[in-house]
Amino acid sequence: MTMLHIYNPATGELLTEMLSDDAASVAAKTRLARAAQPAWAATPLAERKACIARFRTLLAEQVESLAATLTSEVGKPIRQSRNEINGLLGRIDFFLDQVEPSIATETVFSEGGMTEQIGHEPLGVIANISAWNYPYFVGGNVFVPALLTGNAVLYKPSEFAVLTGMHIARLLHDAGLPADLFVALIGAGEVGTALLAQKIDGVFFTGSYATGARIAAAVGPRMIKLQLELGGKDPSYVCDNADPRVAAESLADGAMYNTGQSCCSVERIYVHERIHDKFVDAFVETVKGFKLGDPMDESTYIGAITRAPQLDVLEKQVADATAKGATLKCGGKRIARSGNWFEPTVLTGVDHSMELMREESFGPIIGIQKVASDAQAVGLMNDTRYGLTAGVYTPDEARARVLLAQLNAGTVYWNCCDRVSPRLPWSGVGDSGIGLTLSTYGIQTFTRPKAWHLRRS
Ligand code: NAD
């Protein structure tokens, strides 16, 4: 077993260390989960729901301490940590409300003595391999509906959000969930690899394209369910008739919230040439007003960069863009203080020859490109290998709908951005992944539809 070191990215301090799982412990935990799952699947839905409802109560009671832990290990501003946990409460409410109708047996045909029904059976034992940037959201989108629908969950939190992962496991067990039904596996990528080698019935992954592609290659021949929620390079277009200040304030928040480390952060902005300059002025002014600093401070809006190597990515994107002619309007470099810090950065005069406009930045930096028409904006927005979200700002709903219909993305926004709803499916196009979570589809996805042909003799 190797030792996992957990650092505070805002200070560089070692928070704690703990032993990782290894191949043998992963195999043993998988066997226990396999043995526990049938009894859970046979437990009445009302009891499964009661257990998740108790988990919700415990989360709500402990928001303050859970938020402090999350902030300490990922550097997220404390208000945003609290928002995330409170947001999960709303998602749990949706799942509790919708699980019963979503998995009820459906009679789709009945004539003479013949009846046809669709049943929904749990997949069995699933792997939930999770990212660090929103551990409550991306984890909860999987383990809550998976448990409600009768599955056992082998949960591998990110090695950068492992304390939060342990709290989630503790609260589920305190809520009365049998210990072997939800098992946290501690460690980095090699523990994920060991998990994928087990006899499991589905893999639900949230993380980078590079890891997702590796997992797809490993899991493909196994013929088990595979869902991959990956990165993005999400664009937004501000039309010539939009209010430049309102759009700028909304998009600055969409680009910089969570220090730009959201899968659906706004990562590219296109602005019609008629309002481009006004938009840029308002955008830069808004960004300069964001307070960067101690993530435990209530007034902090920009926190630390969670993973140190991302500082190099950000620095290289800025250098590449400025070398190719972009203008740096603010920020542009790492900040010399303990921990991982990068200045909120705005670049204009950018184009698609630059890495900044092609590859996920995952930090507080953004490129703004001037465009001459709606058609040019649509062409540029779709010029990407990703397709998670895309948005349009204009007061004209008909124009927005025409534009949004042309965008290759799982989610589209009119006059908003960086928004996720439990009622709507969350999915990606292209290298943003396959499968979906959330909505009633995101409940059914943890079940196998079974076709029943019943003839009364
Ligand atoms: P990552 O790919 O580095 O790690 C994700 C998880 O995979 C971690 O738990 C990690 O330990 C594990 N892992 C690493 N190598 C593995 C392997 N070979 N086999 C199995 N597991 C392995 O991603 P990250 O840095 O944690 O997260 C950031 C990325 O996640 C960004 O690209 C972001 O856009 C994406 N993301 C997507 C969504 C979405 O809903 N589409 C949501 C959040 C984050």
Side-chain angles (χ1 to χ4, degrees):
M1 286 190 177
T2 52
M3 194 63 91
L4 192 65
H5 304 278
I6 296 152
Y7 294 93
N8 181 334
T11 60
E13 277 171 291
L14 180 67
L15 290 172
T16 186
E17 24 186 46
M18 61 180 75
L19 279 177
S20 291
D21 272 284
D22 61 14
S25 68
V26 171
K29 288 176 175 180
T30 307
R31 281 194 296 276
L32 291 172
R34 172 74 56 199
Q37 189 268 333
W40 178 245
T43 301
L45 179 56
E47 279 180 43
R48 300 203 298 258
K49 282 175 64 175
C51 184
I52 295 297
R54 284 193 296 275
F55 169 66
R56 185 205 185 284
T57 303
L58 294 174
L59 272 176
E61 284 169 1
Q62 296 177 34
V63 168
E64 281 311 314
S65 63
L66 297 172
T69 299
L70 178 57
T71 289
S72 74
E73 65 181 336
V74 303
K76 191 190 291 267
I78 187 71
R79 291 168 76 101
Q80 299 176 17
S81 291
R82 231 179 261 133
N83 286 349
E84 183 183 342
I85 299 165
N86 286 324
L88 177 58
L89 302 181
R91 292 187 189 188
I92 293 173
D93 290 339
F94 170 81
F95 289 130
L96 286 173
D97 192 49
Q98 291 297 317
V99 63
E100 198 158 349
S102 299
I103 63 170
T105 298
E106 198 186 343
T107 300
V108 290
F109 178 81
S110 186
E111 210 173 280
M114 193 72 205
T115 298
E116 296 174 0
Q117 292 183 323
I118 303 173
H120 297 279
E121 300 195 345
L123 296 173
V125 178
I126 64 139
N128 176 188
I129 301 179
S130 202
W132 49 264
N133 63 330
Y134 280 102
Y136 285 98
F137 279 159
V138 299
N141 291 353
V142 173
F143 66 73
V144 174
L147 290 170
L148 282 172
T149 51
N151 296 279
V153 178
L154 297 163
Y155 172 61
K156 203 207 82 59
S158 165
E159 58 276 31
F160 295 98
V162 74
L163 301 177
T164 293
M166 306 271 287
H167 279 311
I168 289 172
R170 173 179 62 78
L171 293 179
L172 281 166
H173 298 145
D174 287 353
L177 191 79
D180 298 336
L181 263 185
F182 183 89
V183 183
L185 301 170
I186 304 309
E190 65 278 5
V191 175
T193 307
L195 172 55
L196 297 176
Q198 306 306 312
K199 184 177 173 342
I200 48 179
D201 304 303
V203 176
F204 294 80
F205 171 78
T206 310
S208 63
Y209 170 81
T211 309
R214 243 175 267 136
I215 290 178
V219 169
R222 303 270 297 276
M223 304 304 159
I224 58 176
K225 179 139 193 175
L226 174 64
Q227 285 202 178
L228 303 167
E229 298 203 343
L230 310 177
K233 191 71 198 167
D234 295 0
S236 205
Y237 168 45
V238 186
C239 296
D240 55 353
N241 59 354
D243 180 324
R245 174 158 292 277
V246 172
E249 286 174 359
S250 167
L251 285 168
D253 183 46
M256 303 286 169
Y257 190 83
N258 207 36
T259 316
Q261 301 172 112
S262 307
C263 54
C264 54
S265 286
V266 176
E267 289 242 343
R268 298 179 283 150
I269 300 176
Y270 304 95
V271 185
H272 196 281
E273 59 192 8
R274 265 190 232 131
I275 61 163
H276 174 271
D277 294 355
K278 278 193 182 135
F279 175 88
V280 169
D281 287 348
F283 193 93
V284 172
E285 190 189 318
T286 307
V287 168
K288 284 185 173 165
F290 289 149
K291 187 171 168 221
L292 175 147
D294 178 2
M296 284 306 291
D297 186 326
E298 288 292 332
S299 61
T300 293
Y301 179 85
I302 304 268
I305 301 296
T306 307
R307 293 174 58 253
Q310 201 63 22
L311 294 169
D312 293 337
V313 173
L314 300 174
E315 220 164 44
K316 279 187 190 137
Q317 289 195 352
V318 173
D320 172 67
T322 49
K324 289 174 179 160
T327 304
L328 194 56
K329 301 294 281 191
C330 64
K333 56 184 192 307
R334 60 179 85 200
I335 301 171
R337 60 189 272 176
S338 302
N340 315 323
W341 295 90
F342 203 88
E343 295 174 339
T345 300
V346 181
L347 292 131
T348 57
V350 297
D351 63 42
H352 281 211
S353 70
M354 303 168 185
E355 288 281 305
L356 172 71
M357 297 302 274
R358 288 205 314 270
E359 286 309 321
E360 192 175 46
S361 304
F362 227 57
I365 80 174
I366 186 81
I368 303 175
Q369 183 167 352
K370 193 186 282 184
V371 294
S373 66
D374 288 5
Q376 188 193 3
V378 168
L380 287 167
M381 289 166 96
N382 282 337
D383 178 26
T384 174
R385 65 191 183 98
Y386 296 107
L388 196 56
T389 82
V392 166
Y393 285 73
T394 169
D396 181 345
E397 180 174 355
R399 181 171 169 187
R401 283 185 176 275
V402 168
L403 292 169
L404 296 176
Q406 298 171 68
L407 299 177
N408 300 325
T411 290
V412 291
Y413 301 118
W414 176 38
N415 292 334
C416 56
C417 59
D418 190 25
R419 182 178 190 278
V420 181
S421 163
R423 298 167 291 278
L424 295 173
W426 187 248
S427 68
V429 171
D431 287 352
S432 290
I434 52 174
L436 58 84
T437 50
L438 298 175
S439 79
T440 52
Y441 293 102
I443 297 173
Q444 290 178 340
T445 197
F446 297 98
T447 65
R448 204 160 22 86
K450 191 170 197 172
W452 294 71
H453 302 243
L454 305 167
R455 189 192 297 282
R456 234 168 257 117
S457 59

PDB file of all heavy atoms in Angstrom, residues 167-183:
ATOM      1  N   HIS A 167     -15.925  11.666   3.909  1.00  0.00           N
ATOM      2  CA  HIS A 167     -17.098  12.209   4.619  1.00  0.00           C
ATOM      3  C   HIS A 167     -18.391  11.693   3.984  1.00  0.00           C
ATOM      4  O   HIS A 167     -19.349  11.365   4.686  1.00  0.00           O
ATOM      5  CB  HIS A 167     -17.100  13.740   4.579  1.00  0.00           C
ATOM      6  CG  HIS A 167     -16.218  14.375   5.605  1.00  0.00           C
ATOM      7  ND1 HIS A 167     -16.245  14.005   6.936  1.00  0.00           N
ATOM      8  CD2 HIS A 167     -15.289  15.356   5.514  1.00  0.00           C
ATOM      9  CE1 HIS A 167     -15.364  14.717   7.607  1.00  0.00           C
ATOM     10  NE2 HIS A 167     -14.769  15.546   6.770  1.00  0.00           N
ATOM     11  N   ILE A 168     -18.419  11.652   2.656  1.00  0.00           N
ATOM     12  CA  ILE A 168     -19.620  11.162   1.968  1.00  0.00           C
ATOM     13  C   ILE A 168     -19.906   9.719   2.396  1.00  0.00           C
ATOM     14  O   ILE A 168     -21.046   9.370   2.735  1.00  0.00           O
ATOM     15  CB  ILE A 168     -19.453  11.287   0.428  1.00  0.00           C
ATOM     16  CG1 ILE A 168     -19.509  12.773   0.015  1.00  0.00           C
ATOM     17  CG2 ILE A 168     -20.499  10.463  -0.310  1.00  0.00           C
ATOM     18  CD1 ILE A 168     -19.155  13.047  -1.445  1.00  0.00           C
ATOM     19  N   ALA A 169     -18.866   8.903   2.425  1.00  0.00           N
ATOM     20  CA  ALA A 169     -19.059   7.497   2.828  1.00  0.00           C
ATOM     21  C   ALA A 169     -19.546   7.423   4.280  1.00  0.00           C
ATOM     22  O   ALA A 169     -20.487   6.683   4.599  1.00  0.00           O
ATOM     23  CB  ALA A 169     -17.749   6.726   2.655  1.00  0.00           C
ATOM     24  N   ARG A 170     -18.926   8.214   5.138  1.00  0.00           N
ATOM     25  CA  ARG A 170     -19.320   8.199   6.567  1.00  0.00           C
ATOM     26  C   ARG A 170     -20.789   8.575   6.725  1.00  0.00           C
ATOM     27  O   ARG A 170     -21.544   7.913   7.447  1.00  0.00           O
ATOM     28  CB  ARG A 170     -18.426   9.188   7.343  1.00  0.00           C
ATOM     29  CG  ARG A 170     -18.815   9.399   8.785  1.00  0.00           C
ATOM     30  CD  ARG A 170     -17.881  10.373   9.501  1.00  0.00           C
ATOM     31  NE  ARG A 170     -17.854  11.719   8.945  1.00  0.00           N
ATOM     32  CZ  ARG A 170     -18.784  12.642   9.154  1.00  0.00           C
ATOM     33  NH1 ARG A 170     -19.839  12.371   9.896  1.00  0.00           N
ATOM     34  NH2 ARG A 170     -18.679  13.846   8.607  1.00  0.00           N
ATOM     35  N   LEU A 171     -21.211   9.622   6.021  1.00  0.00           N
ATOM     36  CA  LEU A 171     -22.596  10.089   6.182  1.00  0.00           C
ATOM     37  C   LEU A 171     -23.590   9.061   5.637  1.00  0.00           C
ATOM     38  O   LEU A 171     -24.670   8.872   6.213  1.00  0.00           O
ATOM     39  CB  LEU A 171     -22.787  11.430   5.477  1.00  0.00           C
ATOM     40  CG  LEU A 171     -22.028  12.617   6.094  1.00  0.00           C
ATOM     41  CD1 LEU A 171     -22.283  13.882   5.303  1.00  0.00           C
ATOM     42  CD2 LEU A 171     -22.416  12.807   7.556  1.00  0.00           C
ATOM     43  N   LEU A 172     -23.239   8.414   4.537  1.00  0.00           N
ATOM     44  CA  LEU A 172     -24.151   7.383   4.005  1.00  0.00           C
ATOM     45  C   LEU A 172     -24.277   6.239   5.003  1.00  0.00           C
ATOM     46  O   LEU A 172     -25.382   5.724   5.244  1.00  0.00           O
ATOM     47  CB  LEU A 172     -23.640   6.867   2.651  1.00  0.00           C
ATOM     48  CG  LEU A 172     -23.934   7.781   1.459  1.00  0.00           C
ATOM     49  CD1 LEU A 172     -23.101   7.376   0.234  1.00  0.00           C
ATOM     50  CD2 LEU A 172     -25.426   7.747   1.092  1.00  0.00           C
ATOM     51  N   HIS A 173     -23.165   5.856   5.614  1.00  0.00           N
ATOM     52  CA  HIS A 173     -23.222   4.757   6.588  1.00  0.00           C
ATOM     53  C   HIS A 173     -23.959   5.196   7.857  1.00  0.00           C
ATOM     54  O   HIS A 173     -24.762   4.441   8.409  1.00  0.00           O
ATOM     55  CB  HIS A 173     -21.809   4.239   6.880  1.00  0.00           C
ATOM     56  CG  HIS A 173     -21.140   3.666   5.660  1.00  0.00           C
ATOM     57  ND1 HIS A 173     -19.799   3.769   5.418  1.00  0.00           N
ATOM     58  CD2 HIS A 173     -21.663   3.021   4.589  1.00  0.00           C
ATOM     59  CE1 HIS A 173     -19.518   3.198   4.261  1.00  0.00           C
ATOM     60  NE2 HIS A 173     -20.638   2.735   3.738  1.00  0.00           N
ATOM     61  N   ASP A 174     -23.711   6.446   8.278  1.00  0.00           N
ATOM     62  CA  ASP A 174     -24.450   6.962   9.448  1.00  0.00           C
ATOM     63  C   ASP A 174     -25.951   7.003   9.164  1.00  0.00           C
ATOM     64  O   ASP A 174     -26.772   6.912  10.083  1.00  0.00           O
ATOM     65  CB  ASP A 174     -23.984   8.380   9.809  1.00  0.00           C
ATOM     66  CG  ASP A 174     -22.603   8.378  10.462  1.00  0.00           C
ATOM     67  OD1 ASP A 174     -22.087   7.278  10.738  1.00  0.00           O
ATOM     68  OD2 ASP A 174     -22.043   9.475  10.662  1.00  0.00           O
ATOM     69  N   ALA A 175     -26.289   7.166   7.886  1.00  0.00           N
ATOM     70  CA  ALA A 175     -27.715   7.220   7.509  1.00  0.00           C
ATOM     71  C   ALA A 175     -28.345   5.830   7.474  1.00  0.00           C
ATOM     72  O   ALA A 175     -29.549   5.698   7.223  1.00  0.00           O
ATOM     73  CB  ALA A 175     -27.865   7.888   6.137  1.00  0.00           C
ATOM     74  N   GLY A 176     -27.531   4.798   7.702  1.00  0.00           N
ATOM     75  CA  GLY A 176     -28.080   3.446   7.787  1.00  0.00           C
ATOM     76  C   GLY A 176     -27.817   2.579   6.571  1.00  0.00           C
ATOM     77  O   GLY A 176     -28.293   1.442   6.493  1.00  0.00           O
ATOM     78  N   LEU A 177     -27.057   3.082   5.623  1.00  0.00           N
ATOM     79  CA  LEU A 177     -26.743   2.255   4.445  1.00  0.00           C
ATOM     80  C   LEU A 177     -25.774   1.154   4.859  1.00  0.00           C
ATOM     81  O   LEU A 177     -24.763   1.448   5.511  1.00  0.00           O
ATOM     82  CB  LEU A 177     -26.104   3.138   3.367  1.00  0.00           C
ATOM     83  CG  LEU A 177     -25.978   2.481   2.006  1.00  0.00           C
ATOM     84  CD1 LEU A 177     -27.319   2.516   1.287  1.00  0.00           C
ATOM     85  CD2 LEU A 177     -24.921   3.191   1.161  1.00  0.00           C
ATOM     86  N   PRO A 178     -26.051  -0.100   4.511  1.00  0.00           N
ATOM     87  CA  PRO A 178     -25.107  -1.169   4.852  1.00  0.00           C
ATOM     88  C   PRO A 178     -23.698  -0.833   4.345  1.00  0.00           C
ATOM     89  O   PRO A 178     -23.535  -0.335   3.232  1.00  0.00           O
ATOM     90  CB  PRO A 178     -25.684  -2.388   4.129  1.00  0.00           C
ATOM     91  CG  PRO A 178     -27.150  -2.078   3.981  1.00  0.00           C
ATOM     92  CD  PRO A 178     -27.239  -0.596   3.809  1.00  0.00           C
ATOM     93  N   ALA A 179     -22.701  -1.091   5.196  1.00  0.00           N
ATOM     94  CA  ALA A 179     -21.333  -0.624   4.935  1.00  0.00           C
ATOM     95  C   ALA A 179     -20.809  -1.080   3.574  1.00  0.00           C
ATOM     96  O   ALA A 179     -20.140  -0.331   2.875  1.00  0.00           O
ATOM     97  CB  ALA A 179     -20.419  -1.108   6.043  1.00  0.00           C
ATOM     98  N   ASP A 180     -21.114  -2.317   3.191  1.00  0.00           N
ATOM     99  CA  ASP A 180     -20.511  -2.846   1.960  1.00  0.00           C
ATOM    100  C   ASP A 180     -21.211  -2.370   0.693  1.00  0.00           C
ATOM    101  O   ASP A 180     -20.770  -2.685  -0.417  1.00  0.00           O
ATOM    102  CB  ASP A 180     -20.517  -4.376   1.996  1.00  0.00           C
ATOM    103  CG  ASP A 180     -19.686  -4.903   3.149  1.00  0.00           C
ATOM    104  OD1 ASP A 180     -18.777  -4.162   3.599  1.00  0.00           O
ATOM    105  OD2 ASP A 180     -19.949  -6.027   3.608  1.00  0.00           O
ATOM    106  N   LEU A 181     -22.300  -1.648   0.841  1.00  0.00           N
ATOM    107  CA  LEU A 181     -23.043  -1.203  -0.345  1.00  0.00           C
ATOM    108  C   LEU A 181     -22.467   0.049  -0.977  1.00  0.00           C
ATOM    109  O   LEU A 181     -22.677   0.349  -2.142  1.00  0.00           O
ATOM    110  CB  LEU A 181     -24.476  -0.870   0.055  1.00  0.00           C
ATOM    111  CG  LEU A 181     -25.462  -1.958  -0.195  1.00  0.00           C
ATOM    112  CD1 LEU A 181     -26.823  -1.436   0.132  1.00  0.00           C
ATOM    113  CD2 LEU A 181     -25.434  -2.430  -1.632  1.00  0.00           C
ATOM    114  N   PHE A 182     -21.806   0.819  -0.144  1.00  0.00           N
ATOM    115  CA  PHE A 182     -21.138   2.022  -0.646  1.00  0.00           C
ATOM    116  C   PHE A 182     -19.746   2.009  -0.048  1.00  0.00           C
ATOM    117  O   PHE A 182     -19.567   2.197   1.154  1.00  0.00           O
ATOM    118  CB  PHE A 182     -21.879   3.295  -0.234  1.00  0.00           C
ATOM    119  CG  PHE A 182     -21.245   4.546  -0.801  1.00  0.00           C
ATOM    120  CD1 PHE A 182     -21.616   5.029  -2.046  1.00  0.00           C
ATOM    121  CD2 PHE A 182     -20.245   5.225  -0.094  1.00  0.00           C
ATOM    122  CE1 PHE A 182     -21.019   6.169  -2.568  1.00  0.00           C
ATOM    123  CE2 PHE A 182     -19.647   6.366  -0.618  1.00  0.00           C
ATOM    124  CZ  PHE A 182     -20.037   6.842  -1.865  1.00  0.00           C
ATOM    125  N   VAL A 183     -18.766   1.746  -0.901  1.00  0.00           N
ATOM    126  CA  VAL A 183     -17.409   1.564  -0.406  1.00  0.00           C
ATOM    127  C   VAL A 183     -16.504   2.593  -1.052  1.00  0.00           C
ATOM    128  O   VAL A 183     -16.438   2.684  -2.284  1.00  0.00           O
ATOM    129  CB  VAL A 183     -16.902   0.143  -0.750  1.00  0.00           C
ATOM    130  CG1 VAL A 183     -15.519  -0.075  -0.182  1.00  0.00           C
ATOM    131  CG2 VAL A 183     -17.867  -0.909  -0.227  1.00  0.00           C
TER     132      VAL A 183
END
